[in-house]
Amino acid sequence: MRKNRFTKINNYGFIGNLQTTALVSQQGDIDFMCFPNFDSPSVFATILDEDKGGCFSIEPLIEDLKYTQFYITDTATLITRFSSEKGVGEICDTMIVDEKDHKFKLLRKITTNHGNISYRVKCKPRFDNAQARHTVEQHKNEITFTTDDDNFLCLNSCKELYISRDDAYSEFKLDEKESCYFILTDFHLSEEQINNMPSFGEKYHNESQAYWKEWISKTTYKGRWVETVLRSAITLKLLTSHKEGSIIAAPTFGLPEKIGGERNWDYRYTWIRDAAFAMYAFMKLGFKEEASAFFKWVEKYCFKEKMDLVYTYDGKTPPDESTLDHFNGYKNSKPVRLGNDAKNQKQLDIYGELIDAVYVYNLHDGTIKKSFWKNIKQYVEYVCEHWKDKDRGIWEIRGDKKEFLHSRLTCWIALDRGIKLAENNDLEFPKEKWEEIRSKIKDSLYTDFWSEEKEAFVQHSETDEIDASVMLMPILHFIDKHDEKWKKTLKAVERELKYDVLIYRYRAAETDTDGLEGEEGTFTMCSFWYIECLALMDRLDEAAENFARILGYGNSLRLFSEQISKSGEQVGNFPQALTHLAMINACLELNKKMNRKAEN
């Protein structure tokens, strides 16, 4: 019967259509969805407020149910299976990717596999982050929800629908091996479609299956943990805009990094850093079209004197940060934030990360046009002028600006990859100037960020605190894995930031650098960086064991949020692109090293 409404972040699945996404609870309810685009207001947001948020629930009316979730292999189609002694059934959820007309199509197929089961379906949209009223109209078996500004959604089913308090309901029984369909769209179905709902629903289902299987067939990866790697690849693809080629950091807003804390951000935007890292992962897996589309997006929106840190998926400036005070927040974690004030920050690392992605793209046979190089060259020149500047760093601190090691490191990357791009493609550049500045940045990293007391490279030039981003020094090929300073630094990371097999990005509760109150969970991306570092240093048994144990912190679908708390619970926005791309990179490095060991 009625299920517990509170659902842990761990217990969600994830579907999407490359325009927007939805979270589906382990009990088969859609508890979060923005419409029509990634960064649009929510229409379902029970995860943020059980009473006000809105949801699309499917409830089997039998007692003592057990639930499991899984994806159909090589697709984004999610199955929620429920079972008891009285019956077994499943909900099949998918969004259809419509690259031609960009129409919204959400398909929910319910099947009774065993027994005879009664169901109750509720569709309770709450438009504009539960701030807009809507009207409801019914024509035959179609119910249309319309807002005052004429946004609308249509619910169709082969089962009878009825309206109560401006929401849609359906109650029915499915005999053994019987199925029915509920389809939510942003357009009215034709009479023919309405009258042939089962065959029409099955057509949508088959279209979705075919799209994802064709896409995943393009991968070149055949190594270990292939199902885990490809699930992360599909997750990254679901965060990618098919219209624009950009990729968002996460599909949610307001999910807390600590239950009851203030670190509740809106990540539904395109960070240059995150996107550049994602393109690296896509290219390593053989998905070159995604990288090409992203660099076209960069060329369209980002090429100006100074690149912005973060954009909307369609190249605009994100909105100013605000709060939804009428939402109680996930497990009463407030404030629930919209927008992101990081857009106003200076973060020098984005130039090096973008240029590194361009460099890898070129190594994978991507063409660098002279017009494109002109803008990349301009970015390198910007770094030449500003590499000594203080900034907010990779972690987007809200405290005072600092000279961060990671920012200085990626300035070196900008020069190093810029030089290599120019030399590999016979492109014009000021060779002597760039090489001289690259050398100066390298000297600065070794002298200004080394602590004799800690015997480690440190977070910024005014501290002895350790920061997990230091692990990018060997990953980005700045420092040799056999360098004694690096070996000592990794020991410091293990000593000060490691918790079980998980890694904190820094000790937030012990430093005021980030300007925020309270602590946070371990940062899962950093945990995968640690695996990659172990693999680089040929500590393969440790790396493999740690990798297996970290996967155990993911949910049953191999999905990860931004962070993991001390209690092992996933916290922060979910699923997180940075986490999944770091997992892919760690897995590829570990697989490569294990293959070499086996060959020898």
Side-chain angles (χ1 to χ4, degrees):
M1 300 294 284
R2 185 60 261 164
K3 303 156 281 188
N4 178 9
R5 290 301 305 137
F6 176 71
T7 301
K8 291 184 177 181
I9 294 172
N10 302 46
N11 294 336
Y12 277 100
F14 176 57
I15 61 173
N17 64 355
L18 314 189
Q19 291 178 246
T20 191
T21 64
L23 298 187
V24 184
S25 77
Q26 202 171 60
Q27 297 170 326
D29 298 341
I30 294 179
D31 285 348
F32 185 86
M33 187 181 85
C34 295
F35 173 80
N37 298 311
F38 295 119
D39 56 359
S40 298
S42 66
V43 66
F44 302 126
T46 288
I47 195 171
L48 296 173
D49 193 296
E50 176 183 339
D51 297 322
K52 305 184 190 79
C55 70
F56 189 171
S57 66
I58 297 174
E59 181 184 359
L61 301 179
I62 51 179
E63 300 285 354
D64 301 323
L65 287 170
K66 296 180 180 179
Y67 289 88
T68 58
Q69 279 187 319
F70 56 93
Y71 286 103
I72 295 177
T73 303
D74 294 343
T75 78
T77 298
L78 179 68
I79 304 296
T80 302
R81 179 173 292 159
F82 48 89
S83 61
S84 77
E85 292 184 358
K86 296 181 179 179
V88 178
E90 59 187 38
I91 304 163
C92 176
D93 284 312
T94 190
M95 288 189 196
I96 291 76
V97 177
D98 185 350
E99 294 182 316
K100 180 181 178 182
D101 298 320
H102 313 305
K103 296 293 187 181
F104 173 76
K105 309 165 189 174
L106 168 63
L107 174 67
R108 313 203 73 188
K109 177 183 178 181
I110 309 169
T111 302
T112 295
N113 298 326
H114 171 67
N116 300 294
I117 303 176
S118 295
Y119 298 86
R120 180 186 295 124
V121 174
K122 301 177 186 178
C123 186
K124 303 169 65 175
R126 298 294 182 263
F127 292 90
D128 192 19
N129 301 314
Q131 296 177 111
R133 300 186 65 177
H134 66 266
T135 58
V136 187
E137 293 182 358
Q138 184 164 7
H139 173 68
K140 295 184 178 180
N141 230 27
E142 178 182 77
I143 291 180
T144 303
F145 308 92
T146 307
T147 64
D148 291 341
D149 56 0
D150 294 328
N151 284 326
F152 70 91
L153 284 169
C154 299
L155 179 65
N156 284 271
S157 178
C158 50
K159 294 297 181 181
E160 184 176 348
L161 300 171
Y162 68 91
I163 297 170
S164 177
R165 296 184 179 180
D166 292 336
D167 297 321
Y169 293 81
S170 183
E171 297 178 358
F172 54 91
K173 179 182 286 186
L174 292 179
D175 294 332
E176 191 165 308
K177 298 184 180 179
E178 185 181 1
S179 299
C180 72
Y181 301 81
F182 288 80
I183 302 176
L184 192 65
T185 63
D186 61 354
F187 60 95
H188 295 284
L189 300 186
S190 67
E191 289 292 326
E192 180 183 0
Q193 291 169 333
I194 292 173
N195 294 332
N196 295 279
M197 184 62 65
S199 60
F200 181 59
E202 203 59 27
K203 176 178 177 292
Y204 271 179
H205 175 79
N206 292 337
E207 284 180 8
S208 181
Q209 297 285 89
Y211 174 87
W212 287 104
K213 289 184 177 182
E214 180 183 0
W215 183 78
I216 208 70
S217 69
K218 298 175 184 177
T219 186
T220 56
Y221 185 69
K222 308 296 181 186
R224 298 170 180 83
W225 307 288
V226 64
E227 289 191 8
T228 298
V229 170
L230 296 185
R231 179 51 51 198
S232 284
I234 290 173
T235 300
L236 293 179
K237 180 64 173 176
L238 284 168
L239 297 173
T240 303
S241 167
H242 71 74
K243 289 190 288 187
E244 297 286 354
S246 55
I247 182 170
I248 61 170
T252 54
F253 62 86
L255 296 183
E257 296 175 5
K258 177 178 173 57
I259 304 301
E262 67 170 327
R263 301 167 185 258
N264 317 319
W265 313 112
D266 184 355
Y267 282 176
R268 299 169 302 152
Y269 308 110
T270 298
W271 270 257
I272 294 298
R273 172 194 311 110
D274 303 39
F277 284 158
M279 293 310 120
Y280 183 89
F282 274 138
M283 287 183 284
K284 286 287 187 178
L285 294 175
F287 297 111
K288 297 180 182 179
E289 292 179 8
E290 281 63 32
S292 296
F294 171 68
F295 289 124
K296 288 179 182 177
W297 180 87
V298 169
E299 196 166 16
K300 183 177 180 181
Y301 295 114
C302 304
F303 279 162
K304 48 189 176 182
E305 183 177 353
K306 185 177 77 68
M307 183 165 49
D308 290 340
L309 167 69
V310 57
Y311 300 80
T312 61
Y313 79 95
D314 54 352
K316 299 182 177 64
T317 301
D320 292 336
E321 207 165 275
S322 61
T323 59
L324 295 176
D325 296 331
H326 62 291
F327 275 169
N328 288 327
Y330 175 82
K331 208 172 181 181
N332 296 314
S333 299
K334 293 183 177 181
V336 176
R337 288 188 174 90
L338 288 178
N340 200 302
D341 282 349
K343 67 178 182 176
N344 300 316
Q345 291 188 353
K346 181 175 186 176
Q347 297 180 25
L348 290 171
D349 62 302
I350 60 176
Y351 298 96
E353 285 146 354
L354 177 64
I355 295 170
D356 187 42
V358 174
Y359 172 70
V360 174
Y361 174 66
N362 185 233
L363 291 180
H364 285 77
D365 301 321
T367 302
I368 306 299
K369 297 184 296 184
K370 287 188 176 180
S371 59
F372 193 89
W373 170 247
K374 179 181 178 182
N375 288 282
I376 294 298
K377 182 179 175 182
Q378 181 175 288
Y379 286 162
V380 179
E381 288 293 334
Y382 179 87
V383 171
C384 288
E385 296 297 319
H386 294 276
W387 66 271
K388 295 181 182 180
D389 292 357
K390 295 181 178 182
D391 71 346
R392 304 287 182 183
I394 184 176
W395 307 129
E396 302 182 348
I397 65 162
R398 304 218 167 184
D400 295 335
K401 293 179 181 178
K402 305 288 183 183
E403 290 183 49
F404 284 102
L405 176 143
H406 177 263
S407 298
R408 192 65 50 88
L409 169 66
T410 48
C411 285
W412 181 88
I413 294 295
L415 270 297
D416 182 71
R417 305 308 194 261
I419 290 168
K420 290 175 179 175
L421 270 171
E423 291 178 342
N424 291 347
N425 294 276
D426 295 323
L427 298 166
E428 183 182 352
F429 76 107
K431 179 179 175 64
E432 185 176 336
K433 174 186 175 182
W434 286 11
E435 288 181 343
E436 180 183 356
I437 293 175
R438 179 178 64 176
S439 179
K440 287 181 178 179
I441 297 174
K442 182 176 183 178
D443 290 343
S444 170
L445 282 161
Y446 272 96
T447 58
D448 298 334
F449 299 92
W450 177 258
S451 168
E452 289 293 346
E453 180 181 343
K454 287 290 181 75
E455 291 192 314
F457 290 104
V458 292
Q459 184 183 55
H460 60 81
S461 59
E462 303 170 33
T463 188
D464 281 334
E465 295 295 328
I466 306 299
D467 189 302
S469 63
V470 73
M471 290 187 287
L472 290 174
M473 295 178 82
I475 290 173
L476 293 176
H477 308 292
F478 170 79
I479 196 169
D480 187 87
K481 63 183 181 182
H482 300 299
D483 189 298
E484 287 302 317
K485 285 191 172 182
W486 162 244
K487 289 181 179 179
K488 291 178 180 179
T489 298
L490 188 61
K491 287 182 180 178
V493 169
E494 293 170 330
R495 181 178 66 246
E496 300 196 15
L497 300 181
K498 194 164 180 274
Y499 178 80
D500 186 29
V501 293
L502 306 174
I503 304 291
Y504 288 96
R505 54 181 175 174
Y506 51 84
R507 289 293 187 174
E510 299 171 15
T511 176
D512 60 358
T513 296
D514 67 13
L516 295 166
E517 296 294 328
E519 61 181 18
E520 61 179 11
T522 59
F523 214 79
T524 315
M525 173 178 67
C526 301
S527 303
F528 285 119
W529 286 349
Y530 178 62
I531 301 295
E532 189 169 358
C533 285
L534 291 178
L536 283 168
M537 298 177 73
D538 298 315
R539 294 164 58 179
L540 300 186
D541 290 341
E542 287 179 73
E545 180 180 341
N546 277 259
F547 187 72
R549 293 173 66 191
I550 290 175
L551 290 183
Y553 281 103
N555 71 7
S556 62
L557 301 170
R558 288 288 192 261
L559 297 178
F560 286 90
S561 64
E562 180 183 33
Q563 300 184 19
I564 296 171
S565 70
K566 284 185 177 180
S567 65
E569 183 177 347
Q570 298 208 42
V571 290
N573 285 303
F574 173 90
Q576 181 87 350
L578 282 174
T579 303
H580 284 275
L581 63 90
M583 189 278 286
I584 291 171
N585 290 334
C587 184
L588 266 59
E589 182 64 32
L590 181 54
N591 181 70
K592 179 177 71 176
K593 287 299 187 74
M594 292 176 78
N595 284 344
R596 287 180 182 174
K597 182 180 179 181
E599 290 170 0
N600 294 329

